[in-house]
Amino acid sequence: MPAVVVVHGGAWSVPDKLAKAVVDGVKMAALDGFSVLERGGSALDAVEAAVRNLEDNVTFNAGHGAVLNADGDVELDAIIMDGRALGSGAVSSVKNIPNPVSLARAVMEKTPHLLLTSRGANLFAESIGMATVPTDTLVTANEREEWEEHRSYVAGVTEDFNSKCAHDTVGAVAVDSAGNVACATSTGGIRNKMVGRVGDAAIIGCGGYADNSSGAVSCTGHGESILKVTLARLILSHMEQGSGDTLHGCILFLTNKQFHLHAFFFPVPSQGNPQRSLHSWLCSTWASVCAAQEESSWCLHQDSGQLNLLQ
Amino acid sequence: MPAVVVVHGGAWSVPDKLAKAVVDGVKMAALDGFSVLERGGSALDAVEAAVRNLEDNVTFNAGHGAVLNADGDVELDAIIMDGRALGSGAVSSVKNIPNPVSLARAVMEKTPHLLLTSRGANLFAESIGMATVPTDTLVTANEREEWEEHRSYVAGVTEDFNSKCAHDTVGAVAVDSAGNVACATSTGGIRNKMVGRVGDAAIIGCGGYADNSSGAVSCTGHGESILKVTLARLILSHMEQGSGDTLHGCILFLTNKQFHLHAFFFPVPSQGNPQRSLHSWLCSTWASVCAAQEESSWCLHQDSGQLNLLQ
């Protein structure tokens, strides 16, 4: 099984002035995740490393660089999932945590629960000695300006879909050499979201899902649309049914529901050549590193076009 | 299409001393939900009415009668979903709200979001003038005693599976005469849960899902197990595939994953005779009212046995 890691930097359009930073960011994160796999690390370790890298990069809307909610505060969502036994951890609406994906992993490994929210998630972080940072540390001057200028959530969502938003949710999927899959997704949500709004990124089966028997998915896009169709689980259901046109099946399904869906998804199957089955829809920016045939070979991809199926 | 409403009062074993109260409670809630359908109300109206009835009944672990978390506090989760266009609303870890299912419906109808959590959910409740009650109003003397006696979460879960717990999550599914389906689920969670723990009940695709093209499901049981397999969505996926042995398919799937799942699920299909397809697994207590053939006919069922398929 060739090891592979795929990372994405969000669903929205990237303005030219930020294109290089975004592409460099996803490449660096993919390489970081892949270096974990090369050292014999698990898919779970790889997706955590890749997403931490993106959370530390202010170019992306996760951890440092997060958007502000309606109160001008930062509330973060993240999930991580291990395809070996469906272990998962997530946090929603957590504050002052620079790497929510690692807090999500701690929920998975150190509690009997899968999802901790808001103050409870922060209390848990404190109980395990996880470092916190002031909110201002997570917010860029540019985000503060954007927030001052655009105070309407609905208008903001519309603008985001029309190329004015530079960053969004991040995520990663990976397969390790043992054939185990994992996913992770992390986000600051959508600017001017209501206090306490939770999108798809913290929700199992929506912002992410990983199951060794089928594959792993990380989603990004309009959270409420993704939640309605439990997109990550839906994609894996199609993959489990062995349909060659998984992607078209999903799009058709969504069209039949007659509502607007804005989402990307990044599935990686646990069986077969990961590259051949890697899809992106209305693709924004992502990068993958794959050890095909020989462990030392790798390749990078970046695409900002339309429907793209790697061969 | 015969209208039908099915309600459940949780997954755990019911002690003899509470059997009558539990059975009377689910019967009353089912009748309440059905009366809405009889008056021409929607499936959505019916499940909200039924679940409000159960939330107002201290016999059940939702709204009044909720269990206490590790801090001796009450944090409530609820979801409601309308199968017509996959509209959904949910609240997690909300406090002092006697009818979280109605707050969930307000999230669906009055915000651009699907899920509000914790303080943000309470701020929203305040903004729409929803009445709150002191925490003590929601807690029974019996729950306070049980909590003082059993302070371990893990031990509590084990005991719950061994007949010492009297109440659990509630939920309802319905089909109205127009063939629309809906679901609602509401809970106080599991005693001694960590602060901020969110189980399946607030999570779309896990504690509930409703889609006119397939059916509606409300789940109850060990929340973390349900979350791992996104149980509500999984069941509907099996129903969508038209398998006659939907239930067995799901059980087999779960067994293959090699982890323990403790859950009930109550699916109602949007097509065909709802009664014939009504399943319960390791069934606790539930009731249904169905307008089969003639609008005025109805029937009630209560079962505390094993796998049960209504014919």
Side-chain angles (χ1 to χ4, degrees):
Chain A
M1 175 66 66
V4 64
V5 61
V6 187
V7 310
H8 67 79
W12 317 95
S13 300
V14 179
D16 290 343
K17 66 177 180 179
L18 284 177
K20 185 174 186 310
V22 170
V23 173
D24 287 350
V26 293
K27 282 183 177 177
M28 194 180 306
L31 286 169
D32 208 22
F34 190 69
S35 71
V36 171
L37 296 177
E38 275 190 315
R39 294 194 302 270
S42 67
L44 189 70
D45 295 332
V47 295
E48 184 188 6
V51 169
R52 282 181 66 95
N53 192 300
L54 294 162
E55 289 173 337
D56 291 341
N57 187 335
V58 295
T59 310
F60 302 100
N61 174 18
H64 293 85
V67 296
L68 294 165
N69 70 9
D71 268 6
D73 204 354
V74 171
E75 296 185 313
L76 303 166
D77 300 336
I79 193 168
I80 193 165
M81 187 163 185
D82 183 345
R84 283 176 287 199
L86 307 186
S88 178
V91 290
S92 63
S93 202
V94 71
K95 296 183 182 184
N96 307 109
I97 301 294
N99 293 112
V101 71
S102 293
L103 184 57
R105 183 164 180 175
V107 170
M108 177 174 73
E109 295 179 342
K110 298 178 194 294
T111 84
H113 303 316
L114 261 71
L115 172 57
L116 293 181
T117 192
S118 200
R119 175 175 161 266
N122 276 100
L123 287 172
F124 169 62
E126 191 180 333
S127 76
I128 60 172
M130 184 169 278
T132 56
V133 294
T135 300
D136 282 347
T137 306
L138 300 174
V139 184
T140 63
N142 182 63
E143 171 57 23
R144 187 69 68 182
E145 283 169 22
E146 291 278 338
W147 181 79
E148 294 287 354
E149 193 176 336
H150 306 283
R151 298 299 302 275
S152 159
Y153 171 81
V154 174
V157 172
T158 308
E159 288 169 0
D160 285 346
F161 282 111
N162 288 283
S163 308
K164 293 187 182 175
C165 182
H167 54 197
D168 189 34
T169 300
V170 303
V173 288
V175 187
D176 59 30
S177 55
N180 298 311
V181 300
C183 72
T185 308
S186 181
T187 192
I190 297 178
R191 185 178 298 134
N192 286 312
K193 64 184 181 183
M194 290 173 69
V195 175
R197 176 264 192 183
V198 181
D200 63 296
I203 305 302
I204 191 167
C206 299
Y209 201 78
D211 181 349
N212 268 11
S213 67
S214 49
V217 176
S218 172
C219 294
T220 176
H222 181 227
E224 281 72 12
S225 298
I226 294 172
L227 286 165
K228 281 185 176 182
V229 295
T230 65
L231 186 60
R233 191 67 195 82
L234 178 69
I235 292 163
L236 286 181
S237 291
H238 281 255
M239 289 168 72
E240 285 165 4
Q241 290 166 47
S243 167
D245 57 347
T246 300
L247 186 68
H248 293 157
C250 287
I251 292 173
L252 188 63
F253 178 90
L254 299 172
T255 304
N256 285 344
K257 296 294 173 199
Q258 296 185 311
F259 62 84
H260 224 48
L261 183 130
H262 294 278
F264 295 38
F265 45 93
F266 293 79
V268 57
S270 59
Q271 304 294 321
N273 184 334
Q275 288 268 355
R276 279 193 63 82
S277 301
L278 176 66
H279 298 85
S280 63
W281 180 42
L282 298 175
C283 188
S284 177
T285 303
W286 55 273
S288 71
V289 186
C290 172
Q293 311 304 326
E294 292 180 11
E295 199 69 25
S296 59
S297 70
W298 57 272
C299 50
L300 281 172
H301 300 278
Q302 183 267 323
D303 195 303
S304 57
Q306 296 296 304
L307 183 65
N308 178 51
L309 172 60
L310 287 183
Q311 298 298 332
Chain B
M1 174 66 63
V4 64
V5 62
V6 187
V7 310
H8 67 80
W12 318 94
S13 299
V14 179
D16 289 343
K17 66 178 180 181
L18 285 177
K20 185 174 187 307
V22 170
V23 173
D24 287 351
V26 292
K27 283 183 178 177
M28 194 180 306
L31 286 168
D32 208 21
F34 190 71
S35 73
V36 171
L37 296 177
E38 276 190 315
R39 293 194 301 270
S42 67
L44 189 71
D45 295 332
V47 295
E48 183 187 8
V51 168
R52 282 181 66 95
N53 193 300
L54 293 162
E55 287 173 338
D56 292 341
N57 186 334
V58 295
T59 310
F60 303 99
N61 173 19
H64 293 86
V67 296
L68 295 165
N69 70 9
D71 267 7
D73 203 355
V74 172
E75 296 185 312
L76 303 167
D77 301 336
I79 193 168
I80 192 165
M81 188 162 183
D82 183 343
R84 284 175 286 198
L86 307 187
S88 177
V91 290
S92 62
S93 202
V94 71
K95 296 183 182 185
N96 308 109
I97 301 293
N99 292 112
V101 71
S102 293
L103 185 57
R105 182 164 181 176
V107 170
M108 177 175 75
E109 295 178 342
K110 298 177 194 294
T111 83
H113 302 315
L114 261 72
L115 172 57
L116 293 181
T117 192
S118 200
R119 174 174 162 268
N122 276 100
L123 287 173
F124 170 62
E126 191 180 332
S127 76
I128 59 171
M130 183 168 280
T132 56
V133 295
T135 300
D136 282 348
T137 305
L138 300 174
V139 184
T140 65
N142 182 62
E143 172 56 23
R144 186 69 68 180
E145 283 168 23
E146 290 279 338
W147 181 78
E148 293 287 353
E149 193 175 338
H150 305 284
R151 297 299 302 274
S152 161
Y153 172 80
V154 175
V157 172
T158 308
E159 287 168 1
D160 285 347
F161 282 111
N162 288 283
S163 307
K164 293 187 180 175
C165 182
H167 54 198
D168 190 34
T169 300
V170 304
V173 288
V175 186
D176 60 29
S177 56
N180 299 310
V181 299
C183 73
T185 307
S186 181
T187 191
I190 297 179
R191 185 178 298 134
N192 286 311
K193 65 184 181 183
M194 290 172 68
V195 175
R197 176 264 192 182
V198 181
D200 63 296
I203 306 302
I204 190 167
C206 298
Y209 201 78
D211 181 350
N212 268 12
S213 67
S214 49
V217 177
S218 172
C219 294
T220 176
H222 180 227
E224 280 73 12
S225 298
I226 294 171
L227 286 166
K228 282 185 177 185
V229 296
T230 64
L231 186 60
R233 193 66 194 81
L234 179 69
I235 293 163
L236 286 181
S237 291
H238 281 255
M239 289 168 73
E240 285 165 4
Q241 290 167 45
S243 167
D245 56 349
T246 300
L247 186 66
H248 293 158
C250 287
I251 291 173
L252 188 63
F253 178 90
L254 300 172
T255 304
N256 285 345
K257 295 293 174 201
Q258 296 185 307
F259 63 85
H260 225 46
L261 184 132
H262 295 277
F264 295 41
F265 46 91
F266 293 79
V268 57
S270 58
Q271 303 295 321
N273 184 333
Q275 287 269 353
R276 279 192 60 85
S277 301
L278 176 66
H279 298 84
S280 62
W281 179 42
L282 299 174
C283 189
S284 177
T285 304
W286 55 272
S288 71
V289 186
C290 171
Q293 310 305 325
E294 293 181 8
E295 199 68 28
S296 58
S297 69
W298 57 272
C299 48
L300 281 173
H301 301 277
Q302 183 267 325
D303 195 302
S304 57
Q306 298 296 305
L307 184 65
N308 179 51
L309 172 60
L310 287 183
Q311 296 297 331

mmCIF file with all atom_site columns, all heavy atoms in Angstrom, chain B residues 213-231:
data_model
loop_
_atom_site.group_PDB
_atom_site.id
_atom_site.type_symbol
_atom_site.label_atom_id
_atom_site.label_alt_id
_atom_site.label_comp_id
_atom_site.label_asym_id
_atom_site.label_entity_id
_atom_site.label_seq_id
_atom_site.pdbx_PDB_ins_code
_atom_site.Cartn_x
_atom_site.Cartn_y
_atom_site.Cartn_z
_atom_site.occupancy
_atom_site.B_iso_or_equiv
_atom_site.pdbx_formal_charge
_atom_site.auth_seq_id
_atom_site.auth_comp_id
_atom_site.auth_asym_id
_atom_site.auth_atom_id
_atom_site.pdbx_PDB_model_num
ATOM 1   N N   . SER B 1 213 ? -37.353 11.033 1.005  1.00 0.00 ? 213 SER B N   1
ATOM 2   C CA  . SER B 1 213 ? -37.101 10.007 -0.004 1.00 0.00 ? 213 SER B CA  1
ATOM 3   C C   . SER B 1 213 ? -36.805 8.647  0.607  1.00 0.00 ? 213 SER B C   1
ATOM 4   O O   . SER B 1 213 ? -36.753 7.650  -0.113 1.00 0.00 ? 213 SER B O   1
ATOM 5   C CB  . SER B 1 213 ? -35.949 10.432 -0.919 1.00 0.00 ? 213 SER B CB  1
ATOM 6   O OG  . SER B 1 213 ? -34.746 10.476 -0.209 1.00 0.00 ? 213 SER B OG  1
ATOM 7   N N   . SER B 1 214 ? -36.614 8.580  1.914  1.00 0.00 ? 214 SER B N   1
ATOM 8   C CA  . SER B 1 214 ? -36.350 7.279  2.537  1.00 0.00 ? 214 SER B CA  1
ATOM 9   C C   . SER B 1 214 ? -37.149 7.090  3.822  1.00 0.00 ? 214 SER B C   1
ATOM 10  O O   . SER B 1 214 ? -37.937 6.152  3.946  1.00 0.00 ? 214 SER B O   1
ATOM 11  C CB  . SER B 1 214 ? -34.849 7.102  2.807  1.00 0.00 ? 214 SER B CB  1
ATOM 12  O OG  . SER B 1 214 ? -34.322 8.225  3.465  1.00 0.00 ? 214 SER B OG  1
ATOM 13  N N   . GLY B 1 215 ? -37.010 7.964  4.803  1.00 0.00 ? 215 GLY B N   1
ATOM 14  C CA  . GLY B 1 215 ? -37.740 7.810  6.048  1.00 0.00 ? 215 GLY B CA  1
ATOM 15  C C   . GLY B 1 215 ? -37.151 8.672  7.142  1.00 0.00 ? 215 GLY B C   1
ATOM 16  O O   . GLY B 1 215 ? -36.393 9.596  6.874  1.00 0.00 ? 215 GLY B O   1
ATOM 17  N N   . ALA B 1 216 ? -37.519 8.356  8.370  1.00 0.00 ? 216 ALA B N   1
ATOM 18  C CA  . ALA B 1 216 ? -37.031 9.114  9.518  1.00 0.00 ? 216 ALA B CA  1
ATOM 19  C C   . ALA B 1 216 ? -36.585 8.160  10.607 1.00 0.00 ? 216 ALA B C   1
ATOM 20  O O   . ALA B 1 216 ? -37.161 7.084  10.775 1.00 0.00 ? 216 ALA B O   1
ATOM 21  C CB  . ALA B 1 216 ? -38.115 10.051 10.044 1.00 0.00 ? 216 ALA B CB  1
ATOM 22  N N   . VAL B 1 217 ? -35.575 8.548  11.350 1.00 0.00 ? 217 VAL B N   1
ATOM 23  C CA  . VAL B 1 217 ? -35.015 7.708  12.406 1.00 0.00 ? 217 VAL B CA  1
ATOM 24  C C   . VAL B 1 217 ? -34.728 8.565  13.632 1.00 0.00 ? 217 VAL B C   1
ATOM 25  O O   . VAL B 1 217 ? -34.234 9.690  13.512 1.00 0.00 ? 217 VAL B O   1
ATOM 26  C CB  . VAL B 1 217 ? -33.683 7.053  11.947 1.00 0.00 ? 217 VAL B CB  1
ATOM 27  C CG1 . VAL B 1 217 ? -33.056 6.242  13.084 1.00 0.00 ? 217 VAL B CG1 1
ATOM 28  C CG2 . VAL B 1 217 ? -33.887 6.178  10.732 1.00 0.00 ? 217 VAL B CG2 1
ATOM 29  N N   . SER B 1 218 ? -35.029 8.037  14.807 1.00 0.00 ? 218 SER B N   1
ATOM 30  C CA  . SER B 1 218 ? -34.550 8.621  16.054 1.00 0.00 ? 218 SER B CA  1
ATOM 31  C C   . SER B 1 218 ? -33.807 7.529  16.808 1.00 0.00 ? 218 SER B C   1
ATOM 32  O O   . SER B 1 218 ? -34.313 6.415  16.960 1.00 0.00 ? 218 SER B O   1
ATOM 33  C CB  . SER B 1 218 ? -35.720 9.145  16.895 1.00 0.00 ? 218 SER B CB  1
ATOM 34  O OG  . SER B 1 218 ? -35.254 9.543  18.177 1.00 0.00 ? 218 SER B OG  1
ATOM 35  N N   . CYS B 1 219 ? -32.611 7.818  17.259 1.00 0.00 ? 219 CYS B N   1
ATOM 36  C CA  . CYS B 1 219 ? -31.803 6.810  17.949 1.00 0.00 ? 219 CYS B CA  1
ATOM 37  C C   . CYS B 1 219 ? -31.714 7.105  19.440 1.00 0.00 ? 219 CYS B C   1
ATOM 38  O O   . CYS B 1 219 ? -31.853 8.241  19.872 1.00 0.00 ? 219 CYS B O   1
ATOM 39  C CB  . CYS B 1 219 ? -30.387 6.780  17.385 1.00 0.00 ? 219 CYS B CB  1
ATOM 40  S SG  . CYS B 1 219 ? -30.294 6.213  15.685 1.00 0.00 ? 219 CYS B SG  1
ATOM 41  N N   . THR B 1 220 ? -31.423 6.087  20.202 1.00 0.00 ? 220 THR B N   1
ATOM 42  C CA  . THR B 1 220 ? -31.152 6.247  21.616 1.00 0.00 ? 220 THR B CA  1
ATOM 43  C C   . THR B 1 220 ? -30.231 5.123  22.059 1.00 0.00 ? 220 THR B C   1
ATOM 44  O O   . THR B 1 220 ? -30.258 4.038  21.496 1.00 0.00 ? 220 THR B O   1
ATOM 45  C CB  . THR B 1 220 ? -32.458 6.263  22.440 1.00 0.00 ? 220 THR B CB  1
ATOM 46  O OG1 . THR B 1 220 ? -32.129 6.319  23.820 1.00 0.00 ? 220 THR B OG1 1
ATOM 47  C CG2 . THR B 1 220 ? -33.288 5.019  22.185 1.00 0.00 ? 220 THR B CG2 1
ATOM 48  N N   . GLY B 1 221 ? -29.428 5.408  23.050 1.00 0.00 ? 221 GLY B N   1
ATOM 49  C CA  . GLY B 1 221 ? -28.477 4.406  23.539 1.00 0.00 ? 221 GLY B CA  1
ATOM 50  C C   . GLY B 1 221 ? -27.182 5.077  23.932 1.00 0.00 ? 221 GLY B C   1
ATOM 51  O O   . GLY B 1 221 ? -27.165 6.260  24.296 1.00 0.00 ? 221 GLY B O   1
ATOM 52  N N   . HIS B 1 222 ? -26.093 4.354  23.856 1.00 0.00 ? 222 HIS B N   1
ATOM 53  C CA  . HIS B 1 222 ? -24.781 4.890  24.230 1.00 0.00 ? 222 HIS B CA  1
ATOM 54  C C   . HIS B 1 222 ? -24.311 5.843  23.129 1.00 0.00 ? 222 HIS B C   1
ATOM 55  O O   . HIS B 1 222 ? -23.933 5.421  22.041 1.00 0.00 ? 222 HIS B O   1
ATOM 56  C CB  . HIS B 1 222 ? -23.798 3.730  24.433 1.00 0.00 ? 222 HIS B CB  1
ATOM 57  C CG  . HIS B 1 222 ? -22.429 4.181  24.828 1.00 0.00 ? 222 HIS B CG  1
ATOM 58  N ND1 . HIS B 1 222 ? -21.288 3.716  24.238 1.00 0.00 ? 222 HIS B ND1 1
ATOM 59  C CD2 . HIS B 1 222 ? -22.034 5.095  25.752 1.00 0.00 ? 222 HIS B CD2 1
ATOM 60  C CE1 . HIS B 1 222 ? -20.234 4.307  24.788 1.00 0.00 ? 222 HIS B CE1 1
ATOM 61  N NE2 . HIS B 1 222 ? -20.655 5.131  25.716 1.00 0.00 ? 222 HIS B NE2 1
ATOM 62  N N   . GLY B 1 223 ? -24.367 7.129  23.423 1.00 0.00 ? 223 GLY B N   1
ATOM 63  C CA  . GLY B 1 223 ? -24.153 8.162  22.413 1.00 0.00 ? 223 GLY B CA  1
ATOM 64  C C   . GLY B 1 223 ? -22.863 8.000  21.625 1.00 0.00 ? 223 GLY B C   1
ATOM 65  O O   . GLY B 1 223 ? -22.847 8.165  20.399 1.00 0.00 ? 223 GLY B O   1
ATOM 66  N N   . GLU B 1 224 ? -21.779 7.675  22.321 1.00 0.00 ? 224 GLU B N   1
ATOM 67  C CA  . GLU B 1 224 ? -20.495 7.575  21.631 1.00 0.00 ? 224 GLU B CA  1
ATOM 68  C C   . GLU B 1 224 ? -20.511 6.437  20.610 1.00 0.00 ? 224 GLU B C   1
ATOM 69  O O   . GLU B 1 224 ? -19.896 6.535  19.539 1.00 0.00 ? 224 GLU B O   1
ATOM 70  C CB  . GLU B 1 224 ? -19.367 7.393  22.654 1.00 0.00 ? 224 GLU B CB  1
ATOM 71  C CG  . GLU B 1 224 ? -18.925 8.696  23.344 1.00 0.00 ? 224 GLU B CG  1
ATOM 72  C CD  . GLU B 1 224 ? -19.915 9.230  24.365 1.00 0.00 ? 224 GLU B CD  1
ATOM 73  O OE1 . GLU B 1 224 ? -20.858 8.490  24.728 1.00 0.00 ? 224 GLU B OE1 1
ATOM 74  O OE2 . GLU B 1 224 ? -19.769 10.395 24.807 1.00 0.00 ? 224 GLU B OE2 1
ATOM 75  N N   . SER B 1 225 ? -21.202 5.339  20.921 1.00 0.00 ? 225 SER B N   1
ATOM 76  C CA  . SER B 1 225 ? -21.310 4.227  19.962 1.00 0.00 ? 225 SER B CA  1
ATOM 77  C C   . SER B 1 225 ? -22.115 4.648  18.743 1.00 0.00 ? 225 SER B C   1
ATOM 78  O O   . SER B 1 225 ? -21.771 4.319  17.603 1.00 0.00 ? 225 SER B O   1
ATOM 79  C CB  . SER B 1 225 ? -21.989 3.021  20.623 1.00 0.00 ? 225 SER B CB  1
ATOM 80  O OG  . SER B 1 225 ? -21.241 2.550  21.714 1.00 0.00 ? 225 SER B OG  1
ATOM 81  N N   . ILE B 1 226 ? -23.188 5.375  18.991 1.00 0.00 ? 226 ILE B N   1
ATOM 82  C CA  . ILE B 1 226 ? -24.042 5.830  17.893 1.00 0.00 ? 226 ILE B CA  1
ATOM 83  C C   . ILE B 1 226 ? -23.286 6.802  16.989 1.00 0.00 ? 226 ILE B C   1
ATOM 84  O O   . ILE B 1 226 ? -23.358 6.728  15.761 1.00 0.00 ? 226 ILE B O   1
ATOM 85  C CB  . ILE B 1 226 ? -25.326 6.476  18.458 1.00 0.00 ? 226 ILE B CB  1
ATOM 86  C CG1 . ILE B 1 226 ? -26.177 5.416  19.164 1.00 0.00 ? 226 ILE B CG1 1
ATOM 87  C CG2 . ILE B 1 226 ? -26.128 7.173  17.361 1.00 0.00 ? 226 ILE B CG2 1
ATOM 88  C CD1 . ILE B 1 226 ? -27.347 5.970  19.946 1.00 0.00 ? 226 ILE B CD1 1
ATOM 89  N N   . LEU B 1 227 ? -22.532 7.711  17.613 1.00 0.00 ? 227 LEU B N   1
ATOM 90  C CA  . LEU B 1 227 ? -21.751 8.688  16.839 1.00 0.00 ? 227 LEU B CA  1
ATOM 91  C C   . LEU B 1 227 ? -20.751 7.991  15.919 1.00 0.00 ? 227 LEU B C   1
ATOM 92  O O   . LEU B 1 227 ? -20.598 8.365  14.756 1.00 0.00 ? 227 LEU B O   1
ATOM 93  C CB  . LEU B 1 227 ? -20.992 9.623  17.787 1.00 0.00 ? 227 LEU B CB  1
ATOM 94  C CG  . LEU B 1 227 ? -21.826 10.692 18.511 1.00 0.00 ? 227 LEU B CG  1
ATOM 95  C CD1 . LEU B 1 227 ? -21.037 11.308 19.658 1.00 0.00 ? 227 LEU B CD1 1
ATOM 96  C CD2 . LEU B 1 227 ? -22.271 11.777 17.545 1.00 0.00 ? 227 LEU B CD2 1
ATOM 97  N N   . LYS B 1 228 ? -20.075 6.973  16.439 1.00 0.00 ? 228 LYS B N   1
ATOM 98  C CA  . LYS B 1 228 ? -19.025 6.313  15.650 1.00 0.00 ? 228 LYS B CA  1
ATOM 99  C C   . LYS B 1 228 ? -19.525 5.794  14.307 1.00 0.00 ? 228 LYS B C   1
ATOM 100 O O   . LYS B 1 228 ? -18.775 5.752  13.337 1.00 0.00 ? 228 LYS B O   1
ATOM 101 C CB  . LYS B 1 228 ? -18.428 5.137  16.437 1.00 0.00 ? 228 LYS B CB  1
ATOM 102 C CG  . LYS B 1 228 ? -17.442 5.544  17.494 1.00 0.00 ? 228 LYS B CG  1
ATOM 103 C CD  . LYS B 1 228 ? -16.807 4.315  18.135 1.00 0.00 ? 228 LYS B CD  1
ATOM 104 C CE  . LYS B 1 228 ? -15.767 4.731  19.156 1.00 0.00 ? 228 LYS B CE  1
ATOM 105 N NZ  . LYS B 1 228 ? -15.053 3.567  19.718 1.00 0.00 ? 228 LYS B NZ  1
ATOM 106 N N   . VAL B 1 229 ? -20.763 5.346  14.289 1.00 0.00 ? 229 VAL B N   1
ATOM 107 C CA  . VAL B 1 229 ? -21.283 4.768  13.041 1.00 0.00 ? 229 VAL B CA  1
ATOM 108 C C   . VAL B 1 229 ? -22.312 5.667  12.364 1.00 0.00 ? 229 VAL B C   1
ATOM 109 O O   . VAL B 1 229 ? -22.914 5.273  11.381 1.00 0.00 ? 229 VAL B O   1
ATOM 110 C CB  . VAL B 1 229 ? -21.894 3.367  13.278 1.00 0.00 ? 229 VAL B CB  1
ATOM 111 C CG1 . VAL B 1 229 ? -20.828 2.402  13.745 1.00 0.00 ? 229 VAL B CG1 1
ATOM 112 C CG2 . VAL B 1 229 ? -23.050 3.423  14.259 1.00 0.00 ? 229 VAL B CG2 1
ATOM 113 N N   . THR B 1 230 ? -22.499 6.899  12.869 1.00 0.00 ? 230 THR B N   1
ATOM 114 C CA  . THR B 1 230 ? -23.529 7.812  12.355 1.00 0.00 ? 230 THR B CA  1
ATOM 115 C C   . THR B 1 230 ? -24.808 6.993  12.094 1.00 0.00 ? 230 THR B C   1
ATOM 116 O O   . THR B 1 230 ? -25.284 6.883  10.969 1.00 0.00 ? 230 THR B O   1
ATOM 117 C CB  . THR B 1 230 ? -23.078 8.543  11.065 1.00 0.00 ? 230 THR B CB  1
ATOM 118 O OG1 . THR B 1 230 ? -22.880 7.592  10.025 1.00 0.00 ? 230 THR B OG1 1
ATOM 119 C CG2 . THR B 1 230 ? -21.784 9.304  11.285 1.00 0.00 ? 230 THR B CG2 1
ATOM 120 N N   . LEU B 1 231 ? -25.350 6.486  13.218 1.00 0.00 ? 231 LEU B N   1
ATOM 121 C CA  . LEU B 1 231 ? -26.338 5.402  13.128 1.00 0.00 ? 231 LEU B CA  1
ATOM 122 C C   . LEU B 1 231 ? -27.607 5.765  12.365 1.00 0.00 ? 231 LEU B C   1
ATOM 123 O O   . LEU B 1 231 ? -28.101 4.969  11.560 1.00 0.00 ? 231 LEU B O   1
ATOM 124 C CB  . LEU B 1 231 ? -26.697 4.910  14.544 1.00 0.00 ? 231 LEU B CB  1
ATOM 125 C CG  . LEU B 1 231 ? -27.605 3.687  14.606 1.00 0.00 ? 231 LEU B CG  1
ATOM 126 C CD1 . LEU B 1 231 ? -26.961 2.497  13.914 1.00 0.00 ? 231 LEU B CD1 1
ATOM 127 C CD2 . LEU B 1 231 ? -27.931 3.331  16.060 1.00 0.00 ? 231 LEU B CD2 1
#
